[in-house]
């Protein structure tokens, strides 16, 4: 299956094919919902998406690998080395290091004309995670999410393709990246506390009588205080509004990419449903969409993807 995808994408160099295989493995292992959605893309699109995921995962592991004994300064040094190596590959056309994730994403960026600035903005937000643990308000959080979420949508856009000017679809691609990340922040509030971070706007939490101390108490006691529950209800409502904006951009995508994005939007937004079904008991358990539901959404997407490709071919 992977060999046929690489063939379809015109990737024939053995070392480069191996680099893409590594990225695909990272996607399959760590991003199950996202990986399932990529199966709805045309074969020639999939390797590029895996490459983008693999690079993002590479940076994320530097920051958040809880099993790593790396110090703050060492993580900062590793992240800067990753930035320099990608810059040398993309801007200076100079192979720096033998990291397969870098080889694949550099090839992907050149193939789809994805600018260095989007990767630099992403890495800038990753650096913020080394020093910033709280966000006073939504504008501050949005500045972080531009690099950590919006640019992911913008990187994906050339791979997905659009029916009109790319800049018309860009705001919706940004919104989808933001919606996905806001969903993660709600689902993973307990896990993020273990890393010493809170990704929910402090002023919006304070409106419900919630602060970091109360969140930490919920984490320690594996319960959801009623004040925290009310705050999470508001955060879910805000995130659903962002999904509604993002969904309006799906018709602007190339028809063959719409089933993938629609499935990803459906499955990720349903994580919010699971949070609600759990009564917002997000401390000590993780909201997930079951395999049966994922396969159900994927089956519908496969039919839509088959139709769009055959219509395109005709």
């Amino acid at each position: 299956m992977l060999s046929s995808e690489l063939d379809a994408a015109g990737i024939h160099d053995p070392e480069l094919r191996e680099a893409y295989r590594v990225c695909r493995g990272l996607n399959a292992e760590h991003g199950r919902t996202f990986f399932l959605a990529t199966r709805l893309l045309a074969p020639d699109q999939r390797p590029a998406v895996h490459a983008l995921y693999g690079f993002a995962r590479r940076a994320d592991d530097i920051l958040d690998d809880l099993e790593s004994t790396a110090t703050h300064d060492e993580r900062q040094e590793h992240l800067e080395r990753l930035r320099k190596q990608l810059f040398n590959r993309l801007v200076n056309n100079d192979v720096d290091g033998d990291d397969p994730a870098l080889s694949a994403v550099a090839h992907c960026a050149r193939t789809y004309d994805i600018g260095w600035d989007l990767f630099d903005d992403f890495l800038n937000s990753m650096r913020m995670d080394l020093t910033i643990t709280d966000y006073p308000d939504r504008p501050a959080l949005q500045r972080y999410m531009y690099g950590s979420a919006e640019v992911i949508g913008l990187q994906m856009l050339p791979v997905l393709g659009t029916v009109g000017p790319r800049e018309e679809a860009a705001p919706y691609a940004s919104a989808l990246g933001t919606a996905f990340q806001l969903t993660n922040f709600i689902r993973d509030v307990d896990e993020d506390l273990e890393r010493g971070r809170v990704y929910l706007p402090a002023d919006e939490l304070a409106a419900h009588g919630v602060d970091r101390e109360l969140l930490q108490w919920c984490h320690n006691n594996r319960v959801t205080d009623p004040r925290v529950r009310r705050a999470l209800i508001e955060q879910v409502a805000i995130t659903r509004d962002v999904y509604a904006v993002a969904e309006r951009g799906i018709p602007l995508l190339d028809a063959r990419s719409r089933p993938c994005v629609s499935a990803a939007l459906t499955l990720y937004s349903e994580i919010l449903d699971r949070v609600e079904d759990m009564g917002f008991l997000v401390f000590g358990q993780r909201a997930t969409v079951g395999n049966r539901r994922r396969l159900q959404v994927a089956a519908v997407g496969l039919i839509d993807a088959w139709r769009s490709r055959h219509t395109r071919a005709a």
Side-chain angles (χ1 to χ4, degrees), residues 289-305:
V289 177
N291 288 334
R292 182 176 180 180
R293 175 57 179 161
R294 282 203 287 223
L295 291 174
Q296 186 181 51
V297 172
V300 173
L302 281 172
I303 294 172
D304 290 343

Side-chain angles (χ1 to χ4, degrees), residues 13 82 145 167 172 222 231 238 291 300:
D13 178 84
L82 184 69
M145 288 195 297
E167 56 267 24
Y172 303 102
R222 294 293 183 261
I238 291 171
N291 288 334
V300 173

Side-chain angles (χ1 to χ4, degrees), residues 25-145:
L26 289 171
N27 196 346
E29 180 180 358
H30 298 288
R32 292 187 304 162
T33 298
F34 187 65
F35 181 76
L36 180 62
T38 65
R39 310 311 301 155
L40 306 180
L41 289 171
D44 64 290
Q45 294 174 298
R46 297 171 196 164
V49 176
H50 298 322
L52 291 169
Y53 182 95
F55 174 74
R57 184 72 202 185
R58 178 79 174 80
D60 191 59
D61 283 345
I62 291 174
L63 293 169
D64 289 336
D65 184 359
L66 293 178
E67 297 180 2
S68 172
T69 59
T71 65
H72 171 278
D73 289 344
E74 288 171 336
R75 291 178 194 268
Q76 188 169 20
E77 180 183 342
H78 292 161
L79 197 62
E80 182 56 31
R81 184 182 307 132
L82 184 69
R83 179 192 179 280
K84 180 180 177 182
Q85 288 175 333
L86 184 60
F87 178 84
N88 286 337
R89 285 175 180 262
L90 287 185
V91 180
N92 297 332
N93 200 26
D94 177 26
V95 176
D96 185 357
D98 57 358
D99 188 330
L102 285 173
S103 298
V105 79
H107 178 266
C108 166
R110 285 192 293 269
T111 300
Y112 287 95
D113 192 25
I114 303 172
W116 157 251
D117 60 315
L118 293 180
F119 294 100
D120 194 29
D121 288 336
F122 168 74
L123 291 170
N124 283 337
S125 283
M126 295 302 97
R127 277 197 294 270
M128 290 172 67
D129 274 332
L130 291 169
T131 56
I132 299 175
T133 58
D134 300 85
Y135 293 87
D137 50 36
R138 191 159 293 272
L141 182 62
Q142 197 64 47
R143 285 193 289 275
Y144 168 77
M145 288 195 297

